[in-house]
Amino acid sequence: MSRRARALSFLLAALLCAALAASLASGYGARLERRYGQLRSVVVAGEELPAGKPIEGRQAQALELRRVPARFVPAAAISTAEEALGRVPAAVVPAGAYVLAPQLGAPGSDSGRLGLASGRSPVEIAVSGAEALASGDAAGGSVVDVVVTEESDAGAPGRTYVAAHGVQLLDLRRGGEAADGGAGPRWTATLALTHAEALKLIAAENFARQVRLLPR
């Protein structure tokens, strides 16, 4: 076989391998979508975003855009970095965590004017099943427990536990329909949380199946 024929054979083999790899990747992506839902664009913190500091400069450059199956995307996850620019995280956003709209406040907000206890700050959390609270007189100023139900594997029931005990509910408003197609609307609750409580509930928004408020 001539040198030219060998080169042509290698080229054809390379093209065949590339086509096969593309076909396998496409098939894998289609299987993922069938199992977990369509892919959605979400913003992830490439490095820790400190609380109380506007997202700009280096922090803004650390925002990463990723494609994630809709099943695993929290309802309040933002889809473009522009939605976070200039905003101020109410609590630390850990590296690798989704950036959620309720975590971000306007620059210069003053939590002290809300009469919060020392060590507590107002933090917005996406919750579900808050119709009873919203329709009554408990929507603001009441005390609630925050109950989290984790995602389950292979149809088994997820663990349910109280992630924050006896926290002050500052505000409650409807925040749109559930992003994953679940039943009922989503709500945005503003809670007076400690730093540790805020981190726990932010993680729950990222990975839990459901976050609910239980009035005391």
Side-chain angles (χ1 to χ4, degrees):
M1 182 182 294
S2 68
R3 181 179 299 176
R4 183 174 182 180
R6 287 198 298 271
L8 182 59
S9 298
F10 286 136
L11 176 60
L12 290 175
L15 290 175
L16 180 61
C17 289
L20 180 60
S23 176
L24 291 173
S26 176
Y28 179 71
R31 289 196 299 273
L32 279 180
E33 287 199 10
R34 285 196 299 270
R35 184 171 182 180
Y36 298 115
Q38 293 185 337
L39 298 179
R40 287 185 53 199
S41 296
V42 292
V43 175
V44 173
E47 63 181 49
E48 182 180 284
L49 303 178
K53 184 176 180 180
I55 298 175
E56 55 191 11
R58 176 179 172 180
Q59 284 75 30
Q61 295 175 5
L63 298 177
E64 300 176 359
L65 191 64
R66 297 183 185 174
R67 300 273 290 172
V68 178
R71 175 178 176 181
F72 302 112
V73 178
I78 64 174
S79 58
T80 64
E82 286 73 15
E83 296 176 69
L85 296 183
R87 308 287 287 179
V88 180
V92 173
V93 181
Y98 296 120
V99 181
L100 310 177
Q103 299 171 350
L104 308 177
S109 59
D110 181 10
S111 61
R113 66 170 181 251
L114 299 176
L116 302 183
S118 177
R120 292 186 176 270
S121 301
V123 180
E124 292 185 338
I125 298 293
V127 300
S128 56
E131 290 81 0
L133 276 170
S135 62
D137 297 328
S142 62
V143 176
V144 298
D145 292 332
V146 186
V147 181
V148 171
T149 300
E150 296 179 339
E151 283 282 3
S152 58
D153 294 325
R159 182 172 71 100
T160 297
Y161 62 95
V162 179
H165 297 261
V167 299
Q168 185 182 2
L169 174 63
L170 303 173
D171 185 49
L172 181 65
R173 63 184 184 276
R174 184 164 174 162
E177 298 301 320
D180 58 0
R186 287 282 184 174
W187 299 82
T188 298
T190 305
L191 303 168
L193 302 176
T194 64
H195 182 73
E197 289 169 340
L199 289 178
K200 185 185 294 185
L201 291 178
I202 288 170
E205 280 189 304
N206 284 336
F207 304 111
R209 179 169 63 86
Q210 191 177 69
V211 180
R212 300 178 71 94
L213 302 180
L214 182 64
R216 287 197 160 196

